[in-house]
């Protein structure tokens, strides 16, 4: 504006350059309303858009409107009216906005200068903000979502090689002055300053009565407007879809399409707001335009969900909040089962009473800002704002509720390196229409897959099994043998039950669980899925060898358990297992656990089946269940084995959950976890505590399960504060709870407990006076402590100060098994046996759970303390202490020690000390002797970069690229179970 005064400048019309995203008409229609108000105020508006001209010219007839037909971004590419193709969206954006970026910027800067633009407005084209900055022109975005939010999920799920797109978009947005935010908004942390405005809604031109008169529709006719963004091509609309007395107005129908008599085709340039206001309800997909106008005109909205567009949940929440929405299941849309939804819509009373003049308000803000009015706070630099965006993004991912599909933001390891397999979000582009095709194959009779895409992938894989019977082929996931066995597993005319259970990351507690400690455990993203079919023996599809076995016995069909386990090649085991269920019986009673262990140990390649089939025996022995039908069972686990993240617990919990569901057993998550521990302790023969099974069964996504293992008292769920993040880094050294080191440390801890009890008993007898009276109060208190310690059930009930005062110096470093038995008889652990010839470490094994229990309590308390560097330092120190206590017990390993050392080097480097700290601590997890290291750090970009640097350094030193574990998912109890049925079962061979 040069040296002209503000008053003089106000007399001069302004020139606005208004960029419109290529995603759908909704953006163009709301731009129309803002642009119209700017033109009414006397300003020139140059609209840069790929939308048809009539969208603008039908509403704005003014020489001040200039249209420039240019597409600078593609939005989201849709495979059909209801499905976004995420990989295609990323590739199209790369082709449209990334590859030609330099020429786009040069062209736009030159064009902005040529029209002498005063101000740039973007809805919500990222590169427009950068072009404005390069041209020295201020810019503002007007939107309810931003493309960094949308594409971040696409990158993680479908195209990690496009991860730079999200960075670039967020950086572009960081150049704008502020965000004018529309209602129904998504998280948009890339914008530091925000101004909220009312709904932007197009005005009405005609009344309801006028529109109906023009269309020849009487007031006695119920009208539904079908609005799917102009993409209903190929849908076959039938007369019987509508109830009697209804008429459907169809938007965007092709000219060649013939419609039934109760469907009316609308012109392509028909003015939708007038038609909506003249209708009784709308049937369509959710978008900003449809939702805002439905709310404004109080029009009930029957909506069908779209796949993979993260704007939708937020708009849907707003629609349902104002009692304006009814959700229709997609298969009911496609099969014409419309009547109940339309009738339900007619009973709604939408209650939105908010403003609908957002276009006018936004235009006034734009004008005032262009004239020099300051609406913003003191802005930080672009890079700082981008960093804030990332930190806030991490906090937002913890918003509860599955519908708020907040993606893991920019520094997610999956998007950085593409290393993750089996994450709930790891759906490939080839599976982009999984949900739609699954519903064509199956119907869900019970349950909800909670939006978990790993579950959806598993369900869809079931549908393809029958096609593999005649032509199995090796894929990247399963071997030919696995495929062929799975293909012949189920009878498709019978119901199938599906359960899901995640692995867990041991944040604190570890090997102190069997000593009664408080533990803090987080369920991870990776999970095990199990599909079970209970079926009469005469209907079971038996494998040839199992059928031959029955025929040899000459008894006719008898109950058989058949199991297929995917991933056999990864662990060198057989992919299938089968047994007659009568093998679990001696007469009418279940066999002993000892005989079961011997049964599964006969063939090392099939020992794995104890984790799965063992659940059947435990249900028989502990609950008295008798299995008179056959059981077919498919196990598919994405929890990697031998990494210390409880792959075994996830298999046990998923297997028992599915079997219980198929047999109508109502078992609480806690009870189920305890039963699964019996599987591992008594059938498998691994002496684990209960925390693994409890976390897999009772855990919740993005929370720590707090539990006192005495034996399994869940205290509740602990939130991980938004500024803190937890990672797991795999050392590549195989971990096994059944390993000798873990068992010997456990035996040493139980030996220590018996020695403590013995010492306490002796001290107690010495403290009592001859007449049974206490000399004074202080001595009485000491005697009470000794009484408790003489009958100690759990080592963790002994406080560290009492241990140091009374027992630390008298506990032996180690004891030969025979010596211990000779003096104390038994260590009283029901799941381990003392080897008389072995030397067991006692002092370190007993000290660890006593101090670990204290450390876990301190860790839990610190999580709720004030946010500070001291808080993070203290949390990290507790992890380090735990790690070295493991090492004292003999449960360390070179790999885990190296990873912890790398974390320490990162933490104490000059770069970390000079600025904000990033990583603060690390520890070995679970049973130790290898496996995964838990790392805690600040929830920031720098922390993620440090973790990736540790991953690279570890590979350089060892040749092994560690798996990163991050993110979380719900436990089996929260998931429940699915009951599914094949729609058109193929003929059985």
């Amino acid at each position: 504006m040069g040296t002209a005064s503000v008053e003089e400048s106000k007399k001069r019309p302004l020139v606005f350059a208004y960029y419109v995203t290529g995603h759908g008409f909704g953006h163009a229609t709301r731009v129309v309303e803002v642009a119209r108000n700017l033109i009414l105020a006397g300003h020139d508006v140059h609209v840069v858009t790929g939308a048809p001209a009539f969208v603008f010219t039908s509403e704005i007839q003014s020489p001040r409107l200039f249209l420039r037909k240019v597409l600078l971004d593609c939005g989201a590419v849709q495979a059909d009216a209801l499905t976004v193709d995420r990989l295609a969206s990323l590739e199209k954006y790369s082709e449209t906005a990334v590859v030609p970026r330099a020429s786009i910027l040069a062209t736009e800067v030159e064009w902005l200068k040529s029209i002498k633009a005063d101000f740039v407005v973007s809805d919500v084209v990222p590169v427009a903000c950068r072009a404005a900055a390069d041209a020295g022109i201020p810019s503002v975005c007007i939107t309810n979502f931003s493309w960094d939010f949308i594409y971040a999920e696409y990158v993680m799920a479908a195209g990690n090689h496009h991860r730079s797109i999200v960075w670039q978009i967020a950086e572009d947005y960081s150049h704008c002055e502020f965000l004018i935010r529309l209602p129904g908004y998504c998280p948009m942390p890339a914008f530091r300053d925000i101004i909220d405005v009312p709904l932007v809604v197009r005005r009405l031109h005609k009344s309801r009565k006028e529109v109906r008169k023009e269309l020849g529709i009487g007031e006695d006719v119920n009208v539904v407007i079908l609005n799917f963004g102009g993409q209903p091509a190929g849908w076959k609309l039938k007369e019987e879809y509508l109830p009697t007395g209804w008429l459907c107005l169809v938007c965007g129908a092709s000219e060649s399409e013939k419609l039934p008599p109760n469907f009316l085709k609308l012109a392509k340039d028909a003015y939708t707001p007038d038609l909506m206001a003249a209708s009784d309800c709308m049937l369509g997909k959710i978008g900003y335009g449809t939702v805002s106008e439905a709310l404004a005109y109080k029009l009930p909205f029957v909506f069908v969900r779209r796949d993979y567009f993260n704007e939708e949940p937020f708009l849907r929440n707003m629609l349902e909040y104002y009692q304006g929405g009814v959700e229709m299941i997609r298969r009911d849309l496609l099969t014409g089962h419309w009547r109940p939804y339309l009738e339900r819509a007619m009973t709604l009373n939408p209650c939105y009473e908010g403003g609908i003049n957002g276009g006018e308000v936004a235009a006034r803000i734009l004008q005032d800002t262009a004239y020099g009015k300051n609406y913003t706070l003191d802005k930080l630099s672009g890079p700082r704002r981008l960093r804030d965006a990332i930190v806030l993004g991490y906090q937002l991912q913890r918003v509860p509720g599955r519908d708020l599909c907040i993606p893991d933001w920019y520094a997610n390891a999956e998007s950085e390196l593409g290393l993750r397999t089996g994450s709930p979000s790891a759906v490939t582009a080839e599976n982009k229409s999984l949900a739609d095709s699954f519903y064509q194959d199956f119907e869900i009779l019970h349950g909800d897959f909670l939006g978990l895409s790993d579950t959806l992938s598993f369900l869809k894989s079931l549908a393809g099994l029958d096609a593999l019977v005649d032509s199995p082929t090796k894929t990247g996931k399963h071997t030919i043998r696995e495929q062929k066995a799975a293909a012949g597993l189920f009878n498709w005319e019978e119901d199938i039950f599906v359960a899901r259970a995640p692995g867990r990351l041991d944040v604190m507690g570890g090997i102190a669980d069997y000593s009664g400690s408080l533990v803090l455990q987080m369920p991870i993203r990776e999970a095990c899925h199990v599909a079970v079919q209970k079926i009469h023996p005469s209907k079971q599809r038996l494998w040839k060898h199992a059928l031959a076995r029955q025929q040899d016995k000459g008894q006719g069909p008898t109950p058989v358990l058949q199991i297929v386990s995917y991933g056999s090649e990864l662990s060198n085991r057989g992919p299938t297992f089968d047994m007659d269920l009568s093998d679990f019986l001696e007469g009418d009673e279940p066999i002993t656990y000892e005989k079961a262990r011997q049964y599964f140990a006969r063939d090392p390649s099939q020992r794995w089946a104890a984790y799965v089939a063992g659940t059947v025996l435990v249900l028989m022995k502990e609950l008295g269940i008798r299995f008179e039908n056959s059981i077919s069972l498919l196990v598919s686990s994405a929890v990697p084995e031998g990494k210390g993240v409880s792959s075994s617990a996830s298999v046990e919990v998923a297997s028992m959950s599915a079997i219980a569901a198929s047999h109508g057993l109502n078992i609480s998550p806690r009870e189920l976890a305890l039963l699964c521990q019996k599987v591992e302790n008594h059938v498998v023969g691994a002496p684990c505590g209960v925390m693994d099974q409890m976390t897999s069964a009772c855990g919740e996504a993005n929370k720590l399960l707090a539990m006192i293992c005495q034996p399994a008292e869940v205290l509740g769920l602990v939130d991980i504060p938004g500024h803190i993040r937890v990672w797991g880094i795999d050392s590549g050294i195989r971990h096994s709870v059944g390993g000798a080191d873990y068992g010997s440390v456990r035996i040493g801890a139980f030996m220590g407990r018996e020695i403590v009890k013995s010492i306490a008993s002796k001290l107690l007898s010495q403290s009592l006076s001859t007449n049974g009276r206490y000399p004074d109060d202080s001595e009485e208190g000491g005697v009470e402590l000794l009484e408790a310690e003489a009958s100690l059930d759990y080592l963790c009930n002994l406080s560290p100060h009492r241990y140091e005062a009374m027992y630390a110096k008298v506990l032996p470093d180690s004891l030969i098994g025979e010596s211990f038995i000779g003096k104390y008889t038994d260590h009283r652990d029901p799941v381990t046996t003392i080897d008389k010839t072995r030397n067991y470490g006692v002092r370190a094994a007993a000290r660890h759970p006593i101090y670990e229990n204290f450390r876990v309590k301190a860790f839990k308390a610190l999580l709720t303390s004030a946010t500070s560097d001291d808080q993070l330092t203290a949390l990290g120190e507790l992890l380090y202490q735990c790690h070295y206590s493991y090492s004292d017990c003999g449960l360390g390993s070179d790999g885990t020690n190296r990873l912890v050392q790398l974390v320490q080097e990162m933490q104490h480097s000059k770069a970390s000390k000079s600025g904000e700290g990033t990583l603060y601590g690390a520890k070995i997890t679970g049973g130790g002797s290898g496996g995964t290291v838990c790392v805690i750090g600040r929830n920031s970009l720098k922390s993620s970069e440090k973790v990736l640097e540790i991953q690279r350094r570890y590979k350089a030193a060892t040749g092994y690229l560690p798996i990163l574990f991050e993110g979380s998912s719900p436990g089996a109890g929260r998931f429940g179970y699915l009951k599914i049925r094949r729609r058109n079962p193929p003929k059985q061979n």
Side-chain angles (χ1 to χ4, degrees):
M1 295 186 182
T3 58
S5 69
V6 172
E7 287 302 317
E8 290 174 336
S9 68
K10 284 184 179 180
K11 298 176 184 177
R12 180 176 69 84
L14 298 168
V15 177
F16 289 90
Y18 209 140
Y19 289 81
V20 188
T21 184
H23 180 74
F25 278 11
H27 296 265
T29 55
R30 70 190 186 197
V31 165
V32 165
E33 198 57 26
V34 180
R36 189 177 65 83
N37 280 281
L38 287 172
I39 289 171
L40 286 174
H43 307 298
D44 290 351
V45 179
H46 293 254
V47 178
V48 183
T49 180
F54 75 81
V55 175
F56 301 91
T57 56
S58 61
E59 271 296 279
I60 306 173
Q61 292 86 35
S62 169
R64 292 190 176 278
L65 173 68
F66 303 87
L67 296 178
R68 177 172 168 239
K69 198 69 177 290
V70 177
L71 185 67
L72 295 180
D73 71 350
C74 62
V77 177
Q78 296 194 194
D80 55 45
L82 294 172
T83 306
V84 172
D85 187 329
R86 294 179 288 184
L87 181 59
S89 298
L90 293 170
E91 290 176 342
K92 186 68 174 177
Y93 186 87
S94 180
E95 174 189 327
T96 307
V98 177
V99 173
R101 179 176 173 81
S103 63
I104 288 174
L105 286 170
T107 300
E108 295 311 304
V109 169
E110 183 180 352
W111 176 75
L112 288 169
K113 291 179 178 178
S114 71
I115 65 169
K116 298 181 179 179
D118 295 292
F119 209 83
V120 170
V121 190
S122 178
D123 184 354
V124 62
V125 180
V127 73
C129 304
R130 176 59 186 268
D134 288 355
I137 302 169
S139 64
V140 163
C141 284
I142 304 179
T143 186
N144 64 304
F145 74 84
S146 56
W147 287 113
D148 52 348
F149 172 74
I150 303 297
Y151 286 155
E153 192 272 339
Y154 294 4
V155 165
M156 289 185 295
N160 51 69
H161 54 292
H162 290 299
R163 58 188 178 272
S164 60
I165 287 175
V166 179
W167 288 104
Q168 188 64 71
I169 290 173
E171 185 180 0
D172 284 347
Y173 286 148
S174 74
H175 290 288
C176 80
E177 298 293 306
F178 55 86
L179 166 69
I180 297 178
R181 187 169 64 178
L182 304 177
Y185 55 81
C186 302
M188 292 181 283
F191 303 96
R192 182 163 184 82
D193 300 314
I194 295 169
I195 302 173
D196 287 300
V197 298
L199 286 175
V200 175
V201 178
R202 288 179 290 177
R203 56 181 179 159
L204 296 179
H205 293 165
K206 299 175 182 176
S207 68
R208 170 187 173 97
K209 188 174 181 180
E210 288 174 325
V211 173
R212 284 193 169 227
K213 184 177 180 180
E214 287 182 3
L215 296 174
I217 304 171
E219 283 298 327
D220 59 333
V221 177
N222 290 322
V223 176
V224 56
I225 182 168
L226 185 69
N227 190 350
F228 279 92
Q231 294 191 56
W235 294 2
K236 299 299 181 184
L237 301 171
K238 299 178 181 179
E239 186 174 351
E240 59 267 26
Y241 286 6
L242 296 176
T244 303
W246 279 74
L247 177 70
C248 180
L249 306 179
V250 182
C251 299
S254 64
E255 294 180 5
S256 60
E257 188 175 358
K258 293 184 178 180
L259 299 179
N262 51 353
F263 287 80
L264 180 62
K265 187 185 304 182
L266 297 173
K268 284 207 177 285
D269 59 353
Y271 191 61
T272 311
D274 288 349
L275 294 161
M276 289 174 61
S279 300
D280 297 293
C281 69
M282 177 166 59
L283 172 56
K285 63 182 179 182
I286 285 180
Y288 179 84
T290 51
V291 170
S292 63
E293 290 172 355
L295 290 174
Y297 310 140
K298 293 184 167 51
L299 181 69
F301 190 173
V302 179
F303 61 87
V304 183
R305 295 196 191 201
R306 273 189 293 180
D307 292 333
Y308 313 134
F309 197 70
N310 291 341
E311 171 197 24
E312 181 182 290
F314 300 90
L315 293 172
R316 185 172 72 245
N317 290 345
M318 181 171 69
L319 184 67
E320 292 176 342
Y321 178 81
Y322 291 112
Q323 302 172 37
V326 176
E327 181 180 350
M328 175 185 278
I329 298 172
R330 184 179 302 190
R331 62 177 178 268
D332 288 335
L333 170 73
L334 300 176
T335 58
H337 188 57
W338 295 8
R339 182 177 58 81
Y341 300 100
L342 298 179
E343 291 176 349
R344 167 67 178 140
M346 295 298 287
T347 68
L348 296 182
N349 185 24
C351 59
Y352 180 78
E353 299 293 344
I356 58 173
N357 63 333
E360 179 185 348
V361 174
R364 186 167 61 249
I365 293 170
L366 293 172
Q367 174 184 267
D368 290 349
T369 305
Y371 280 143
K373 183 174 180 179
N374 182 22
Y375 276 98
T376 65
L377 305 172
D378 291 332
K379 295 190 300 297
L380 301 175
S381 67
R384 172 66 188 275
R385 289 165 68 182
L386 180 59
R387 190 192 71 182
D388 290 347
I390 296 159
V391 172
L392 181 55
Y394 284 130
Q395 295 170 351
L396 287 167
Q397 72 176 319
R398 289 171 171 76
V399 175
R402 68 180 180 86
D403 283 336
L404 301 181
C405 301
I406 312 297
D408 284 346
W409 282 70
Y410 311 104
N412 183 286
E414 183 177 25
S415 63
E416 289 295 324
L417 294 174
L419 297 175
R420 299 289 293 278
T421 59
S423 153
S425 62
V427 181
T428 62
E430 290 78 9
N431 294 331
K432 61 184 180 299
S433 58
L434 277 182
D436 203 16
S437 56
F438 166 73
Y439 282 123
Q440 293 174 9
D441 294 316
F442 286 96
E443 59 179 320
I444 296 180
L445 304 177
H446 176 276
D448 184 345
F449 61 84
L450 302 182
L452 295 165
S453 54
D454 64 335
T455 300
L456 191 56
S457 296
F458 176 71
L459 293 174
K460 182 56 186 172
S461 73
L462 293 178
L465 288 180
D466 58 280
L468 299 172
V469 175
D470 298 321
S471 58
T473 56
K474 184 168 182 176
T475 69
K477 291 185 71 175
H478 312 312
T479 65
I480 295 175
R481 188 177 171 194
E482 289 172 352
Q483 289 181 333
K484 193 169 184 178
L489 190 62
F490 296 119
N491 184 321
W492 296 114
E493 296 178 353
E494 304 289 332
D495 295 340
I496 295 174
F497 293 77
V498 176
R500 177 189 188 276
R504 68 94 188 96
L505 182 65
D506 165 34
V507 177
M508 286 292 287
I511 56 169
D513 60 341
Y514 53 69
S515 295
S517 178
L518 173 69
V519 297
L520 296 173
Q521 308 293 306
M522 185 180 77
I524 59 175
R525 283 186 174 183
E526 291 74 15
C528 174
H529 287 87
V530 170
V532 166
Q533 186 173 76
K534 179 189 76 169
I535 190 167
H536 190 274
S538 64
K539 295 183 178 180
Q540 187 179 30
R541 300 177 69 182
L542 287 175
W543 296 319
K544 290 180 180 179
H545 67 274
L547 182 60
R549 184 175 66 233
Q550 284 207 352
Q551 291 171 345
D552 289 343
K553 290 182 178 181
Q555 298 174 343
T558 58
V560 174
L561 172 64
Q562 293 189 138
I563 306 170
V564 175
S565 177
Y566 288 153
S568 58
E569 268 192 353
L570 299 176
S571 52
N572 194 28
R573 53 175 166 79
T576 64
F577 174 85
D578 63 275
M579 62 179 289
D580 294 339
L581 284 173
S582 59
D583 291 351
F584 275 154
L585 294 172
E586 281 185 335
D588 293 330
E589 294 300 316
I591 62 175
T592 65
Y593 287 135
E594 176 62 31
K595 287 186 176 179
R597 280 200 300 276
Q598 294 171 3
Y599 180 92
F600 290 109
R602 292 179 305 181
D603 181 354
S605 72
Q606 294 205 322
R607 190 174 293 171
W608 61 269
Y611 294 97
V612 183
T615 62
V616 174
L617 179 61
V618 168
L619 289 172
M620 293 170 68
K621 289 185 71 69
E622 306 300 329
L623 300 186
I625 307 300
R626 292 296 178 264
F627 295 92
E628 298 177 354
N629 287 297
S630 291
I631 301 173
S632 297
L633 195 146
L634 174 64
V635 180
S636 177
S637 182
V639 185
E641 298 177 30
K643 306 301 182 187
V645 288
S646 296
S647 58
S648 59
S650 65
V651 169
E652 293 155 358
V653 171
S655 297
M656 188 174 286
S657 297
I659 291 170
S662 65
H663 289 78
L665 306 177
N666 186 14
I667 306 175
S668 70
R670 179 183 182 277
E671 183 184 4
L672 188 134
L674 291 169
L675 291 171
C676 288
Q677 184 195 18
K678 289 183 181 295
V679 175
E680 190 144 357
N681 287 169
H682 302 308
V683 182
V684 176
C688 72
V690 74
M691 70 178 190
D692 299 356
Q693 290 83 3
M694 288 293 292
T695 308
S696 188
C698 305
E700 291 280 354
N702 297 312
K703 296 179 185 293
L704 299 179
L705 182 76
M707 180 181 67
I708 296 176
C709 303
Q710 301 188 17
E713 180 189 348
V714 175
L715 296 184
L717 299 164
V718 180
D719 287 325
I720 302 173
H723 66 286
I724 294 174
R725 194 170 189 196
V726 177
W727 296 262
I729 308 178
D730 165 42
S731 68
I733 298 173
R734 189 171 179 84
H735 146 95
S736 174
V737 168
D741 286 338
Y742 175 88
S744 65
V745 172
R746 176 170 176 148
I747 289 171
F750 277 86
M751 283 180 168
R753 185 191 66 173
E754 291 307 303
I755 296 172
V756 166
K757 290 170 67 175
S758 176
I759 295 170
S761 295
K762 290 178 181 177
L763 292 173
L764 179 63
S765 63
Q766 295 170 7
S767 299
L768 293 175
S769 62
T770 54
N771 61 2
R773 301 186 62 182
Y774 306 121
D776 54 49
D777 289 343
S778 62
E779 207 169 304
E780 178 182 346
V783 169
E784 287 178 348
L785 284 172
L786 288 173
E787 287 176 340
E789 290 156 8
S791 58
L792 193 66
D793 289 330
Y794 296 96
L795 265 178
C796 288
N797 292 338
L798 182 64
S799 64
H801 73 269
R802 283 292 292 177
Y803 166 76
E804 291 293 345
M806 307 298 297
Y807 307 106
K809 294 178 181 178
V810 292
L811 275 178
D813 282 337
S814 61
L815 265 180
I816 300 294
E818 187 174 23
S819 299
F820 177 85
I821 293 171
K823 189 171 184 179
Y824 302 99
T825 307
D826 186 19
H827 69 325
R828 291 176 178 81
D829 178 11
V831 300
T832 57
T833 302
I834 295 175
D835 180 347
K836 291 183 179 181
T837 65
R838 182 162 186 174
N839 189 33
Y840 292 97
V842 175
R843 181 179 294 159
R847 182 179 62 233
H848 175 83
I850 293 168
Y851 277 91
E852 182 70 358
N853 188 44
F854 176 80
R855 286 189 289 262
V856 181
K857 289 179 178 179
F859 191 95
K860 181 173 179 285
L862 278 168
L863 286 175
T864 59
S865 68
T867 301
S868 68
D869 216 50
D870 288 341
Q871 176 203 32
L872 282 159
T873 301
L875 289 168
E877 179 61 28
L878 292 172
L879 262 65
Y880 286 138
Q881 289 180 16
C882 173
H883 178 78
Y884 292 113
S885 184
Y886 262 82
S887 297
D888 288 344
C889 293
L891 292 176
S893 74
D894 290 342
T896 51
N897 288 342
R898 184 185 294 273
L899 285 170
V900 171
Q901 184 179 353
L902 286 170
V903 172
Q904 289 177 333
E905 290 173 3
M906 292 289 183
Q907 178 185 359
H908 299 299
S909 66
K910 289 183 179 179
S912 292
K913 285 184 176 180
S914 61
E916 204 174 60
T918 54
L919 302 182
Y920 289 85
K923 63 176 275 285
I924 195 171
T925 63
S929 298
T932 292
V933 163
C934 174
V935 179
I936 191 169
R938 188 178 295 279
N939 195 357
S940 68
L941 168 62
K942 283 186 179 179
S943 296
S944 294
E945 290 174 341
K946 296 292 186 186
V947 169
L948 294 171
E949 178 61 23
I950 287 171
Q951 187 186 46
R952 288 189 285 269
R953 288 191 189 181
Y954 190 84
K955 182 184 179 183
T958 67
Y960 174 77
L961 182 66
I963 296 173
L964 297 184
F965 297 100
E966 52 187 343
S968 185
S969 66
R974 171 74 176 85
F975 182 87
Y977 69 90
L978 300 176
K979 180 181 178 182
I980 61 177
R981 179 182 295 160
R982 196 68 186 263
R983 287 187 179 278
N984 299 301
K987 293 181 179 180
Q988 305 293 315
N989 292 336

